[in-house]
Amino acid sequence: MSLVATLYSAPSRHLLSQRPDHPVLYFAPSILQATARRFLSGFPGLVTYAVKANDAEEVLQNLMAAGVEAFDVASPFEMARVKQLMPSAVLHYNNPVRSEAEVAASIGHGVASYSVDSLGELGKLVRGGVPLSAEVSVRLRLPVKGAIYDFGAKFGADPELAVALLKAVAEAGFTASMTFHPGTQCADPAAWRAYIDICAEVAQRAGVKLVRLNVGGGFAAHRTGGAPDLEAIFAAIKTATLCAFGADVPALVCEPGRAMVAESFSLATRVKAIREDGAVFLNDGIYGGLAELPILGNIDRIEPVASGCIRKAAPVEHIVFGPTCDSLDRLPGTVPLPGDLAEGDWLVWHGLGAYSTATVTRFNGYGAIEVVTTDCLA
Ligand SMILES: *Cc1c(COP(=O)(O)O)cnc(C)c1O
């Protein structure tokens, strides 16, 4: 990330004074820190940040400054990145598939907690010499709906296997816990309730008292239809855990990625061309900062910033393409944009801090996104 010397009050101020022809991602550290404090004070347990959502140094540093001390990492690269900024950081290694070399690296980084979803992977941890002081969480999967896409399609053990795994974890002498991920952009507390209930059942069948229950990430960010009520989800998680576990209630852990970071970044794209048929071409698209839109759908906060006179016409539905020569580089459906939108105008997409810079490519020579720090984003 590059930092500009002037702290602009909002993206439009920077756009109109600098008139950038490349995409710009605006970062408001104050929003990120406020979100971190909201999780730290509202979630009834340990808050870890899922680094994959956005691993930028400025993001990690601001989370640390706000009081986040534990991180969900998926690779030795992420471990090193976190430890370099905060040597005392607590690492949870929750990618349940690891090579022997990755297990060795994790021991070197002093990982405190691992997740497993197969007996083979548990065996790898034992053979690799993971210390018994480590926590090993069995990752459960259920066919529950509520999120935009299903994380259970790749990782997680069905309840039957989870019982066997939990017994094996306890027998091996590790601290035995459980975890799940309800799926990203999940706004339905029922998804957490279903998982928490079955975790309690699995623990009971295995005859193992869970030390901790990690309820995953998946918390929704504002993509369409308003800001999600995180506190309602926190309360539902707490109540469901108390009801399901009774006297054996485990300590809770969460690992938000998207909901922690999404709101603190906005992406400005420039209108390169408007064709005779109304199709709009932008200077960034699905191989850049808008990568998630074809998967999760368009978002509803797009702020036009006119390069000339203020645009006053009513919105018109436009087909929107990214800059590369690949015909897949198109946003889903159509997007409502001002009827008098002009070439050279900018469109600022709000709430784009998660899975944007993290997955950007330089395909076709595009994707050079500048990061500019701002006071706020509105
Ligand atoms: C991706 C991931 C997260 C973060 O998910 P969000 O939907 O971004 O909150 C948390 N935990 C694990 C294990 C993940 O793979």
Side-chain angles (χ1 to χ4, degrees):
M1 280 193 182
S2 62
L3 298 175
V4 290
T6 311
L7 186 64
Y8 287 89
S9 58
S12 58
R13 298 261 174 181
H14 177 263
L15 289 171
L16 292 170
S17 73
Q18 300 301 309
R19 308 186 72 80
D21 203 47
H22 51 270
V24 179
L25 203 53
Y26 294 98
F27 171 43
S30 57
I31 295 177
L32 181 60
Q33 291 208 26
T35 309
R37 286 193 296 271
R38 190 171 167 196
F39 268 97
L40 289 167
S41 64
F43 182 77
L46 176 69
V47 177
T48 69
Y49 170 63
V51 172
K52 82 170 187 281
N54 189 329
D55 69 352
E57 220 168 280
E58 280 76 0
V59 167
L60 299 177
Q61 262 163 350
N62 277 284
L63 290 173
M64 290 164 183
V68 177
E69 293 171 340
F71 296 82
D72 165 45
V73 291
S75 61
F77 181 89
E78 288 185 351
M79 294 169 201
R81 204 171 173 89
V82 170
K83 283 280 180 171
Q84 192 200 351
L85 297 173
M86 186 187 247
S88 65
V90 175
L91 299 179
H92 289 193
Y93 186 6
N94 287 334
N95 181 343
V97 178
R98 310 167 179 93
S99 70
E100 285 178 8
E102 286 171 335
V103 172
S106 73
I107 296 169
H109 283 295
V111 162
S113 179
Y114 294 79
S115 70
V116 291
D117 63 359
S118 78
L119 288 161
E121 290 294 325
L122 176 60
K124 250 187 234 175
L125 298 184
V126 173
R127 282 196 311 281
V130 168
L132 292 180
S133 56
E135 172 184 66
V136 176
S137 287
V138 172
R139 178 154 168 184
L140 176 72
R141 78 161 159 209
L142 294 177
V144 297
K145 299 266 177 291
I148 286 192
Y149 64 74
D150 182 9
F151 268 45
K154 185 163 182 182
F155 295 133
D158 298 329
E160 211 51 49
L161 175 58
V163 171
L165 266 171
L166 191 59
K167 278 187 193 159
V169 166
E171 275 160 20
F174 293 114
T175 298
S177 293
M178 284 190 74
T179 185
F180 58 85
H181 191 299
T184 203
Q185 189 65 15
C186 182
D188 184 1
W192 276 277
R193 269 189 226 113
Y195 269 104
I196 290 167
D197 284 351
I198 305 296
C199 282
E201 211 179 291
V202 166
Q204 204 218 345
R205 283 174 59 197
V208 174
K209 181 169 156 28
L210 298 187
V211 175
R212 295 203 288 192
L213 177 63
N214 180 339
V215 299
F219 303 93
H222 179 179
R223 293 181 54 82
T224 57
D229 186 353
L230 287 176
E231 284 72 17
I233 304 268
F234 298 159
I237 288 171
K238 185 174 179 179
T239 307
T241 308
L242 286 171
C243 292
F245 286 88
D248 285 340
V249 66
L252 288 169
V253 181
C254 69
E255 42 189 24
R258 174 186 306 285
M260 187 70 97
V261 74
E263 206 54 30
S264 56
F265 286 81
S266 298
L267 176 71
T269 58
R270 195 168 203 190
V271 177
K272 292 178 70 176
I274 303 177
R275 303 267 227 187
E276 288 69 21
D277 64 1
V280 170
F281 282 70
L282 300 178
N283 63 353
D284 196 26
I286 72 157
Y287 294 100
L290 299 172
E292 266 205 326
L293 274 58
I295 308 165
L296 301 193
N298 289 326
I299 59 174
D300 68 2
R301 284 180 298 161
I302 306 165
E303 175 193 346
V305 176
S307 56
C309 304
I310 290 177
R311 311 289 172 222
K312 293 189 183 129
V316 174
E317 295 292 330
H318 287 272
I319 288 175
V320 177
F321 290 108
T324 68
C325 293
D326 183 342
S327 47
L328 282 180
D329 193 3
R330 180 196 154 165
L331 301 189
T334 56
V335 180
L337 299 172
D340 49 358
L341 187 76
E343 291 182 3
D345 286 359
W346 295 273
L347 298 175
V348 181
W349 307 70
H350 292 294
L352 277 195
Y355 309 108
S356 51
T357 42
T359 58
V360 136
T361 77
R362 292 303 308 272
F363 180 45
N364 238 185
Y366 291 97
I369 303 180
E370 182 190 9
V371 179
V372 171
T373 307
T374 50
D375 209 16
C376 65
L377 296 170

